[in-house]
Amino acid sequence: MRELKRLRVQANRTQEEVVRELSDLARRLHTEGRLIKAPTFTVRQYAKWESADLPPWPYPDSRAVLAAYWKRSVEELGFRPRTDEGGSPRGLTPVPLISQASPGPRLAATGFSALNDQAPPPWLAETTTGTNRAGEWRISPEEVELLSGAADDNYAIDQQFGANRLWRPTWAHLLWTHHMIDRGIYDDALGQRLHALAGKLTTSLGWFCYDAGRQAQARQYFSEALNAANYTSDDMLASRTLSNMARQAVDLNKGREAVRFARLGQRHAELWDAPSRVTALLAIREAQGHARVGDVFNCEAAVKRAWQAWERGDHELDPDWAHFLNLAELTCLEGMCRLDLGQMARAQELLARSEALQDAAHSRNRGMCLGRLSVAALQNGDVDHGLAASTEALRLVQGGMSSMRTTAQLKIIHDGLLPHRRARGVGGLLEQIRTHVA
């Protein structure tokens, strides 16, 4: 017996009753703003799902309603993602499902895990459950909204100043969210929001750890974010996380891995009909992976796709985590590809153009661009422009930039300046860099 039918029979429901309840739930989720539109369900469609050996993969909104109704992921209900022409899955995340109970009423508890660098990940922190109804903890939507707003604030701070000082507060926010999930009392709708918040915080924490130079922890949090995305059928979270993982893989000199992550992110993006800005981001992430391994042909193709997608313009559905990909940033990312490919003149041209376009709201990204521009200029023998870019990058770091990636870039700049240490102004700048990164 198919899983969908087994669950329906167990619940003593007819197909007509389930379809009616699914439609009611879809309208409610849409009213609450959790669905872009309310999907429609028919008895004929549901009967096909129940009878098929491999039920057709539902659209994203339908998957969300099915998962919320049955309190199981759609994979557990027997669905599998569509396949491409070669027969490979178009969107299944290759990580195990997390073993979490379905959200539901919980009793409050006592105890709290210590926050320190050696503490276990938030989802492994010990939670003790109590039985005292007088001490119950009812979660309010305002609490969840407050934490979600804090996550957005930290992301904005990261864009301006870097993430060295952000991973700890985000760790604390995520730990608190898991305590709310494990110890609080809430309905199914708020439970879905809590799990979505946990996924959002987890992938943000992975990015902040990456930017702070904590690479092992970043990989751990990215992997857990993918688990959360798989558990909740959240293709948007999967796309975001895989984009982050591709960027980290490039920095770890794992170009082929970056390409795999970016392509898998593109498959997830197709499943939620991602806007063109997301498509452009994942394409340029793929291009960076190709560039790191010296694959000029595939890099050029991916760069072209990125620009074609980006030029389709903004969309009201652009997620906040993709807003950074403006003209300046996409130009910088292509310049980084050219730098990895050894196309120094083209790299310097693109990076100089990007630096001129950067705004104050993305000063961390401007610092990264300046660092790459310095390297490209020095490789081209353009010491004056290399020195100017290096000086400005150092000024940003001294002004409060807290990204370890920018600091690491300063070390690369230092080594690039050494052969020119007798040139005017270079010796003093080398001394300043050594003072800062020592």
Side-chain angles (χ1 to χ4, degrees):
M1 183 181 296
R2 306 286 179 262
E3 182 66 9
L4 272 178
K5 184 175 182 180
R6 187 191 69 78
L7 290 170
R8 178 177 61 78
V9 171
Q10 186 180 53
N12 194 27
R13 293 282 198 279
T14 66
Q15 290 180 341
E16 289 79 5
E17 289 172 330
V18 170
V19 167
R20 185 169 59 252
E21 290 166 2
L22 283 170
S23 299
D24 291 343
L25 176 59
R27 286 190 291 271
R28 178 162 64 85
L29 294 177
H30 174 61
T31 301
E32 293 171 356
R34 293 166 53 195
L35 293 178
I36 298 173
K37 61 180 180 180
T40 57
F41 297 89
T42 66
V43 174
R44 180 179 178 182
Q45 174 193 53
Y46 200 84
K48 185 176 181 180
W49 283 341
E50 281 193 355
S51 62
D53 289 333
L54 186 62
W57 186 242
Y59 287 105
D61 289 336
S62 298
R63 297 203 304 274
V65 177
L66 285 165
Y69 181 82
W70 291 116
K71 297 182 174 60
R72 288 168 171 79
S73 71
V74 288
E75 287 87 0
E76 292 176 290
L77 295 175
F79 295 96
R80 291 295 180 270
R82 297 188 294 270
T83 58
D84 57 23
E85 294 179 357
S88 60
R90 287 184 60 192
L92 187 61
T93 304
V95 290
L97 296 175
I98 54 175
S99 55
Q100 281 182 282
S102 299
R106 310 287 179 104
L107 294 179
T110 59
F112 197 89
S113 299
L115 173 59
N116 54 57
D117 288 4
Q118 287 74 44
W123 53 89
L124 294 181
E126 181 180 359
T127 299
T128 57
T129 54
T131 57
N132 182 8
R133 294 292 298 183
E136 68 183 21
W137 176 25
R138 187 167 297 279
I139 308 300
S140 71
E142 290 76 18
E143 290 177 277
V144 180
E145 188 63 31
L146 182 65
L147 281 169
S148 183
D152 293 338
D153 289 344
N154 282 345
Y155 181 75
I157 294 170
D158 164 61
Q159 288 294 309
Q160 178 116 24
F161 298 110
N164 276 15
R165 301 183 183 95
L166 292 178
W167 72 266
R168 288 182 180 85
T170 304
W171 196 102
H173 292 160
L174 181 57
L175 179 66
W176 189 247
T177 300
H178 277 283
H179 275 282
M180 294 168 75
I181 290 171
D182 293 337
R183 299 166 55 195
I185 297 175
Y186 44 81
D187 59 20
D188 287 346
L190 194 56
Q192 290 287 333
R193 289 179 60 187
L194 279 167
H195 281 283
L197 173 61
K200 177 181 180 179
L201 285 167
T202 302
T203 199
S204 292
L205 181 54
W207 179 260
F208 297 158
C209 284
Y210 156 64
D211 197 56
R214 305 172 65 86
Q215 303 304 336
Q217 290 91 335
R219 298 272 290 202
Q220 180 183 35
Y221 292 125
F222 288 149
S223 295
E224 181 62 20
L226 277 182
N227 280 339
N230 199 20
Y231 176 72
T232 58
S233 300
D234 190 340
D235 294 306
M236 184 185 296
L237 175 61
S239 299
R240 177 184 181 181
T241 302
L242 287 159
S243 171
N244 291 342
M245 295 175 77
R247 175 62 257 179
Q248 184 195 30
V250 170
D251 280 2
L252 295 177
N253 205 28
K254 297 177 179 289
R256 291 179 179 177
E257 189 174 85
V259 171
R260 289 196 295 271
F261 288 148
R263 286 178 172 172
L264 186 57
Q266 290 165 29
R267 293 172 185 169
H268 278 282
E270 291 173 3
L271 294 173
W272 61 280
D273 297 324
S276 55
R277 190 188 294 254
V278 173
T279 304
L281 174 59
L282 290 164
I284 199 66
R285 293 294 192 228
E286 180 186 339
Q288 289 182 286
H290 290 307
R292 185 49 63 102
V293 297
D295 186 342
V296 178
F297 179 81
N298 282 307
C299 178
E300 294 281 3
V303 166
K304 183 178 180 180
R305 293 203 316 273
W307 279 108
Q308 288 173 338
W310 190 87
E311 287 168 357
R312 288 198 287 270
D314 299 341
H315 193 281
E316 61 181 6
L317 297 181
D318 286 341
D320 56 358
W321 48 267
H323 285 168
F324 80 97
L325 192 68
N326 53 23
L327 177 60
E329 185 62 16
L330 187 54
T331 303
C332 178
L333 294 175
E334 182 185 349
M336 291 164 61
C337 290
R338 304 297 176 185
L339 192 61
D340 279 347
L341 290 173
Q343 300 172 0
M344 296 303 170
R346 180 64 173 148
Q348 182 178 354
E349 176 190 349
L350 288 166
L351 292 166
R353 186 188 309 165
S354 171
E355 193 277 326
L357 292 168
Q358 295 282 356
D359 55 46
H362 297 89
S363 58
R364 191 273 310 277
N365 291 348
R366 180 168 178 249
M368 297 296 298
C369 179
L370 283 164
R372 264 65 179 221
L373 174 57
S374 174
V375 171
L378 291 170
Q379 290 288 330
N380 280 331
D382 188 349
V383 179
D384 289 342
H385 283 101
L387 180 62
S390 302
T391 302
E392 183 63 14
L394 180 61
R395 186 190 66 80
L396 287 174
V397 172
Q398 291 172 332
M401 188 73 64
S402 63
S403 169
M404 283 298 297
R405 288 190 293 153
T406 305
T407 303
Q409 195 69 22
L410 284 178
K411 295 178 181 178
I412 296 173
I413 292 171
H414 176 275
D415 294 343
L417 286 170
L418 276 176
H420 310 281
R421 57 184 174 273
R422 298 190 183 279
R424 179 182 300 177
V426 172
L429 180 60
L430 285 170
E431 186 62 34
Q432 292 182 62
I433 294 175
R434 282 194 292 267
T435 300
H436 191 83
V437 302

